[in-house]
Amino acid sequence: MSKLLRTPEERFASLPGFAFAPHYVDVADRDLGPLRMHYVDEGEAVHGTVLMLHGEPSWSYLYRKLIGPVAAAGWRAGAPDHVGFGRSDKPADRTIFSYDRFVGWMRAFIEQRDLRRIVLVIQDWGGPIGLRLLAEMPDRFIGVLATNTLLPTAEDPPRGVAGWPGPIIEPWIELCRTSDDLPVSEIVAATCVQRPEPEILAAYDAPFPDASYKAAALAITTLIPARADSDGIAQNKAAWSVLERFDRPFATAFSDGDPSTAAWEQVFRDRIPGAARAPHVRIEGAGHFVQEEQGEALAAALVDFLRQLED
């Protein structure tokens, strides 16, 4: 059985802008036993639940500027940490991680919390995980807001992006495949338009006291379905077959400074019927981590979108 690591709670003390009470739920894993998942849970579900899924190598801290406005608008704001990230348990063996496992853990979280009337907010790996969940349980979801994310199937346009994964993603996959450590906060900083303040960057490092805690952060990038024969391609194509019939509102709010995902915005808008029923905005002055650099603008766009989905 893989060794499980749990980041000491004191690592999360006094993080700037993140005074949210931690919540935990155990999810089952056939090989690892129960795994503790952390999530932020704020506000009342007057209209439903906004489920905000982070990507690599961030955690729920990324959504701190959205949580308050969402709760104030009458929605339950939920921001879980994937297994291996944030305050969630961290298996130390990177070989145990798979795309299917990340999906399965988050599905167990949704089912245990019995979340319904979900508005899915996705960025980076939150997209491939979250959109597969939507495809598996579409009746639980009433809308989506996608920002700086993707759902690859290694197909040419218009079903995919020409030249993807290209000169940004391919070296990133190789770096993670061959490395034993990652400079987490520097990765966040390098993909921002403006370098965040030191105390903010320290908050992104908080879940990882040393390299032994970073197995998921190293493994997840290598799981990107980058070729036609990659694991996950068949599942992503199956998800797209559902999304191509998904007629509930599907909004996009991509940033103006993220070349790694920019072309996917149009793929979502062209292939998903619900995109015709939703607003689409461009968030200016942000790189890949739009929630970090322009969280207030993204929160405003999200709250405007949520008004469309109220009972």
Side-chain angles (χ1 to χ4, degrees):
M1 181 179 292
S2 175
K3 181 181 179 181
L4 291 179
L5 302 175
R6 185 171 291 175
T7 304
E9 282 297 312
E10 56 265 26
R11 298 273 300 183
F12 302 103
S14 303
L15 298 182
F18 200 72
F20 303 114
H23 299 269
Y24 299 98
V25 64
D26 284 342
V27 298
D29 185 276
R30 67 184 182 276
D31 299 314
L32 303 173
L35 296 169
R36 191 178 79 164
M37 286 185 66
H38 164 261
Y39 61 102
V40 175
D41 190 357
E42 297 286 322
E44 299 294 330
V46 176
H47 305 296
T49 294
V50 178
L51 180 64
M52 298 175 253
L53 298 186
H54 71 84
E56 150 77 351
S58 61
W59 59 293
S60 54
Y61 184 76
L62 180 71
Y63 284 104
R64 68 193 183 280
K65 300 174 186 176
L66 281 70
I67 292 166
V70 166
W75 295 75
R76 183 182 190 182
D81 293 333
H82 297 295
V83 170
F85 295 88
R87 278 177 150 129
S88 293
D89 281 348
K90 299 173 181 66
D93 180 0
R94 61 192 291 179
T95 66
I96 67 95
F97 293 99
S98 70
Y99 186 1
D100 283 346
R101 257 191 160 136
F102 279 110
V103 173
W105 289 325
M106 194 56 65
R107 179 178 182 128
F109 172 81
I110 291 172
E111 291 175 338
Q112 287 210 38
R113 304 306 302 155
D114 194 25
L115 301 181
R116 299 181 184 275
R117 286 191 55 82
I118 300 170
V119 178
L120 182 65
V121 178
I122 47 176
Q123 186 259 351
D124 193 87
W125 259 100
I129 294 170
L131 293 174
R132 275 187 51 183
L133 290 168
L134 183 153
E136 291 178 7
M137 48 177 76
D139 290 345
R140 289 182 183 258
F141 294 85
I142 62 170
V144 179
L145 186 142
T147 176
N148 294 359
T149 191
L150 69 167
L151 186 63
T153 55
E155 295 176 284
D156 292 331
R159 305 180 67 79
V161 171
W164 194 87
I168 296 175
I169 301 297
E170 286 179 344
W172 174 227
I173 293 172
E174 184 63 14
L175 173 67
C176 291
R177 188 186 69 80
T178 58
S179 297
D180 295 321
D181 197 1
L182 282 179
V184 169
S185 62
E186 288 304 313
I187 291 166
V188 173
T191 54
C192 287
V193 174
Q194 298 291 331
R195 184 179 179 87
E197 294 297 319
E199 61 270 21
I200 300 299
L201 293 176
Y204 285 104
D205 284 326
F208 309 110
D210 59 52
S212 67
Y213 288 76
K214 299 178 185 179
L218 285 159
I220 195 168
T221 297
T222 68
L223 305 176
I224 296 172
R227 301 183 311 274
D229 60 350
S230 296
D231 289 341
I233 289 290
Q235 294 91 329
N236 282 5
K237 286 183 176 179
W240 269 113
S241 72
V242 175
L243 290 170
E244 288 177 325
R245 302 189 302 273
F246 188 76
D247 61 0
R248 295 170 187 173
F250 191 107
T252 60
F254 279 58
S255 72
D256 64 350
D258 182 32
S260 63
T261 65
W264 288 94
E265 177 185 19
Q266 196 63 46
V267 177
F268 288 125
R269 292 175 63 175
D270 289 345
R271 294 185 66 181
I272 300 174
R277 302 179 53 201
H280 304 282
V281 300
R282 182 61 48 83
I283 306 295
E284 297 182 355
H288 185 58
F289 294 99
V290 59
Q291 301 94 324
E292 176 57 50
E293 293 194 272
Q294 296 295 338
E296 294 85 355
L298 183 61
L302 174 57
V303 170
D304 283 345
F305 177 49
L306 293 175
R307 293 193 183 103
Q308 178 182 337
L309 302 173
E310 294 176 1
D311 289 334

